[in-house]
Amino acid sequence: MKKIFRDCSISVNIQNSDFDINSEMDLIKSEKKIGGITNFIGVVRDSSKEEDQLLSLELEHYPGMTEKAIMSICIEAKKRWKPNYIRVIHRIGILRKGDNIVLVITASAHRKEAFKSAEYIMDFLKSRAPIWKKEHFKTYSKWVKSKEKDELALLSW
Amino acid sequence: MKKIFRDCSISVNIQNSDFDINSEMDLIKSEKKIGGITNFIGVVRDSSKEEDQLLSLELEHYPGMTEKAIMSICIEAKKRWKPNYIRVIHRIGILRKGDNIVLVITASAHRKEAFKSAEYIMDFLKSRAPIWKKEHFKTYSKWVKSKEKDELALLSW
Amino acid sequence: MKILYFSWLREKIGVPFEELEVTSSTVNDLIKELIKVDQKYALAFEDIKLLRVAVDQKVINDLNASIKNAKEIAFFPPMTGG
Amino acid sequence: MKILYFSWLREKIGVPFEELEVTSSTVNDLIKELIKVDQKYALAFEDIKLLRVAVDQKVINDLNASIKNAKEIAFFPPMTGG
C-alpha cells in the first residue's frame, strides 16, 4: 500500500513504528504549488477521570482491509477538494499515553482544501477504518465504545 | 509577547527565523489530556503562471500591533472551542519558495475543537493580522492583493 | 470459508479466525448456522445492533447480503479508528 | 503624533513613519489635512476603498473616528497575512 509519492499523491501506511512529522513534511514541501499544509495528529489520551490511570492503549486492525478502507476515504477527499497531496499513517499495536496514534497530512495551493480534506479523513477514520482500541487501565481493561457523535459527524459531509 | 507555556495556553511569536514543527509538537505532547493536535503550515507558493518565476516573498508587518491582533484572534478561538493549547508563529522578512510562512497549532481532548480553532485562526490571520506580502518575480514585483473570498470567509464564523 | 473476528467479538469467539465449511448463502443464514454449532456464537452475536460484517473486506449494510463466492467474512463491533 | 504607513502606502508616502503636529480631531480630517500638505498624500489616499486605518493599533471602521489623545495613526491597504 506504500506508494511512491511522485506516482501517486495519496499514500497510506499502517505500522507499529512511530512517524516523524518533520520528515513527512519535508517530502511535501519539495512539491511545487503547495501553499498550505494541514496536519492532524491523534495522540493517546488518558480518558480516566482520575489522573494517570491509563497503562496502555492497544490497537487492533483488519490487515488488508484497513489499508483499502483508508485509501477509499482518501480518494473521496481527493475527489471533493482536489488537494495535491494526502498522507495517512495509522499506528497499531501497544501505545502509551502521549504516543502518536495517527497522522493525516493534506496539502494544497490554498488552505481551505487542505483543512477540509484533513477533517473529512479524520471523521471517516473514526468509524470507517477497521481499527479497534482497547484501553488498559491500572485496575481493568475495556474496549473503546464507538460514539454516536462520530457517526453523526459523517452525515455533515 | 512570548509567553511561557505553563502560564498561558496561548503563545504567539512574530519572527524572522524559521520554526521547527517537531519541537513545537513536543512541547504540546507533554501536556495532559491532549487527544488531538491540528496544525497548519503556510508555505511560500509561486503564484506565477509559468514555473520558477518567484524569487522571493517579502513580508512586512506592524510591530506591536501584529502580536496584539493575533493574540485577540487566538483568545476568540479559545473562547469558542476551548482548546487546551494554541501556538502561532508568523514569520516576516524575506522568504523563498517553499519556506515556511506561518504555523498554527491547536490542541484539545477531541479533534473537532482542534480543527475548528486552527481553521478559525487561519481565516482571521489572512485579513485581520497587519501583515502585507510583496512578491518579487524575475521581471517585476507586486504587492499581494487581498482576496474578497478571504473577507467572505470571516462571515461564516 | 475464512471467518474472522475482531475486538471483543474475537475475545468471545476465542480465535482471531477460523476456516469453516459453510452451507449458508447469506450473512444472516451464516450467523444462524454458526449459532447452531456452538453457544459461544450465540453470545458473541447476541446484540445484533453492535454487529458489523465485512464480506471480502467490504462492509455490508444488509445482513441479507450474499456470501456466495465470498472468500472471507469478518465479524466485528463498530470501528473506533483515528 | 506618530503617523505610520505600510505596504504600498509606505512606498507612495516615501517613509515608514513620520512625527507630525496635527490639528485634526478625526481620521477624516487628518486625511484632508495631510492632502493639503503634499500631493503625495493625495495620491496615496486616492482610492479610499483600499484604505485601512488603525488608531493606537486598533483598526477603526469609521473614518469619523476620533484621534484626540491618540498616540499613533497607521494607514495601510487591506491586510494579507497568513
Side-chain angles (χ1 to χ4, degrees):
Chain A
M1 190 53 51
K2 179 152 196 170
K3 309 222 173 178
I4 304 299
F5 177 39
R6 293 284 164 185
D7 292 329
C8 177
S9 62
I10 304 177
S11 127
V12 174
N13 280 87
I14 308 299
Q15 61 190 45
N16 282 84
S17 55
D18 201 5
F19 44 78
D20 180 71
I21 300 161
N22 272 352
S23 50
E24 296 295 333
M25 297 293 288
D26 286 345
L27 267 177
I28 299 166
K29 282 197 263 172
S30 62
E31 288 297 295
K32 295 181 203 299
K33 301 294 176 193
I34 295 294
I37 306 169
T38 295
N39 64 63
F40 180 86
I41 298 103
V43 300
V44 179
R45 185 174 62 91
D46 189 346
S47 69
S48 61
K49 297 229 167 85
E50 316 91 279
E51 305 256 313
D52 291 327
Q53 284 294 306
L54 188 75
L55 295 178
S56 64
L57 181 70
E58 183 186 345
L59 288 107
E60 179 177 341
H61 81 125
Y62 187 168
M65 180 172 165
T66 313
E67 293 84 343
K68 277 186 224 167
I70 296 178
M71 187 53 90
S72 300
I73 296 167
C74 293
I75 289 169
E76 184 59 31
K78 176 98 184 159
K79 269 189 210 154
R80 292 186 183 210
W81 296 282
K82 317 251 185 297
N84 302 49
Y85 180 71
I86 297 176
R87 175 83 173 116
V88 177
I89 303 178
H90 206 304
R91 292 181 71 191
I92 47 152
I94 305 286
L95 304 178
R96 314 253 161 221
K97 189 165 74 174
D99 279 355
N100 294 325
I101 301 174
V102 61
L103 172 68
V104 172
I105 309 185
T106 54
S108 56
H110 302 286
R111 70 191 183 286
K112 213 75 197 171
E113 292 72 24
F115 268 118
K116 289 296 165 216
S117 306
E119 208 175 343
Y120 176 92
I121 291 166
M122 275 309 303
D123 271 4
F124 279 80
L125 281 183
K126 280 280 162 187
S127 40
R128 292 293 182 270
I131 296 170
W132 299 272
K133 295 190 185 114
K134 190 172 193 175
E135 294 172 315
H136 298 285
F137 296 104
K138 280 182 183 162
T139 51
Y140 65 104
S141 295
K142 73 173 175 65
W143 288 95
V144 173
K145 283 205 181 84
S146 66
K147 296 188 194 101
E148 203 191 359
K149 74 170 180 184
D150 284 334
E151 197 58 41
L152 291 174
L154 304 191
L155 301 177
S156 70
W157 293 104
Chain B
M1 189 53 52
K2 179 153 196 169
K3 308 224 173 176
I4 304 300
F5 175 40
R6 292 284 163 185
D7 292 330
C8 177
S9 64
I10 304 176
S11 127
V12 174
N13 279 88
I14 308 299
Q15 61 191 44
N16 282 83
S17 55
D18 200 4
F19 44 78
D20 180 72
I21 300 161
N22 273 352
S23 52
E24 295 295 333
M25 296 293 289
D26 287 345
L27 266 177
I28 298 165
K29 282 197 266 173
S30 64
E31 287 297 295
K32 295 182 204 298
K33 300 296 176 193
I34 295 293
I37 306 169
T38 295
N39 63 65
F40 179 87
I41 298 102
V43 300
V44 179
R45 184 173 63 90
D46 189 346
S47 70
S48 61
K49 297 229 165 85
E50 316 92 279
E51 304 257 315
D52 291 327
Q53 284 293 305
L54 188 75
L55 295 178
S56 65
L57 181 71
E58 183 186 344
L59 288 107
E60 179 176 342
H61 80 126
Y62 187 167
M65 179 171 165
T66 313
E67 292 85 342
K68 275 187 225 168
I70 296 179
M71 188 53 90
S72 300
I73 295 168
C74 294
I75 289 168
E76 184 60 32
K78 176 99 184 156
K79 269 189 210 156
R80 291 187 183 209
W81 296 282
K82 318 253 184 296
N84 303 48
Y85 180 70
I86 297 175
R87 175 84 174 114
V88 177
I89 303 178
H90 206 304
R91 292 181 71 192
I92 45 151
I94 304 287
L95 304 177
R96 314 252 162 223
K97 189 165 74 174
D99 280 355
N100 293 324
I101 301 174
V102 60
L103 173 68
V104 173
I105 308 184
T106 54
S108 56
H110 303 286
R111 70 190 184 287
K112 213 75 197 171
E113 292 71 25
F115 269 118
K116 289 295 166 215
S117 305
E119 208 175 343
Y120 176 92
I121 291 167
M122 275 309 303
D123 271 4
F124 278 80
L125 281 183
K126 280 280 162 186
S127 39
R128 293 293 182 270
I131 296 171
W132 300 271
K133 294 188 185 115
K134 190 173 192 174
E135 294 172 314
H136 297 285
F137 296 104
K138 279 181 184 162
T139 51
Y140 65 104
S141 293
K142 72 175 176 63
W143 287 95
V144 173
K145 282 203 181 87
S146 66
K147 296 188 193 102
E148 202 190 359
K149 74 170 180 185
D150 285 334
E151 198 58 42
L152 292 174
L154 304 190
L155 300 177
S156 70
W157 294 104
Chain C
M1 186 178 285
K2 187 176 184 179
I3 307 184
L4 302 96
Y5 310 98
F6 293 97
S7 182
W8 52 260
L9 266 149
R10 171 180 54 72
E11 291 175 338
K12 288 193 179 182
I13 304 295
V15 292
F17 67 91
E18 51 194 352
E19 286 284 350
L20 296 175
E21 295 287 329
V22 301
T23 56
S24 305
S25 58
T26 69
V27 172
N28 232 338
D29 289 345
L30 175 61
I31 292 172
K32 286 177 195 153
E33 191 180 340
L34 290 168
I35 287 175
K36 277 184 200 149
V37 176
D38 195 300
Q39 168 75 2
K40 70 182 180 184
Y41 296 102
L43 287 170
F45 300 146
E46 201 172 26
D47 190 349
I48 209 86
K49 285 197 310 295
L50 293 180
L51 188 65
R52 300 292 180 274
V53 186
V55 176
D56 286 338
Q57 305 194 353
K58 277 200 179 132
V59 171
I60 53 116
N61 294 314
D62 180 358
L63 291 183
N64 290 315
S66 167
I67 56 169
K68 281 177 208 160
N69 307 318
K71 285 179 189 150
E72 60 182 61
I73 314 287
F75 292 101
F76 43 81
M79 305 165 185
T80 54
Chain D
M1 187 178 286
K2 187 177 184 179
I3 308 185
L4 302 95
Y5 310 98
F6 294 97
S7 181
W8 52 259
L9 267 148
R10 171 181 53 72
E11 291 175 338
K12 288 193 179 183
I13 303 296
V15 292
F17 66 90
E18 51 194 351
E19 286 284 350
L20 296 176
E21 295 287 329
V22 301
T23 56
S24 304
S25 57
T26 70
V27 173
N28 232 338
D29 288 347
L30 174 62
I31 293 171
K32 287 177 195 153
E33 191 179 340
L34 289 169
I35 287 174
K36 276 185 202 148
V37 176
D38 194 300
Q39 169 74 1
K40 68 183 182 185
Y41 297 102
L43 287 169
F45 299 147
E46 201 171 25
D47 190 349
I48 210 86
K49 285 196 310 295
L50 293 179
L51 188 65
R52 300 291 180 273
V53 187
V55 175
D56 286 338
Q57 305 194 351
K58 278 200 179 132
V59 171
I60 53 116
N61 294 312
D62 180 358
L63 292 183
N64 291 315
S66 168
I67 56 170
K68 279 177 209 160
N69 307 318
K71 285 178 190 152
E72 60 182 61
I73 314 288
F75 293 101
F76 43 80
M79 304 165 185
T80 55

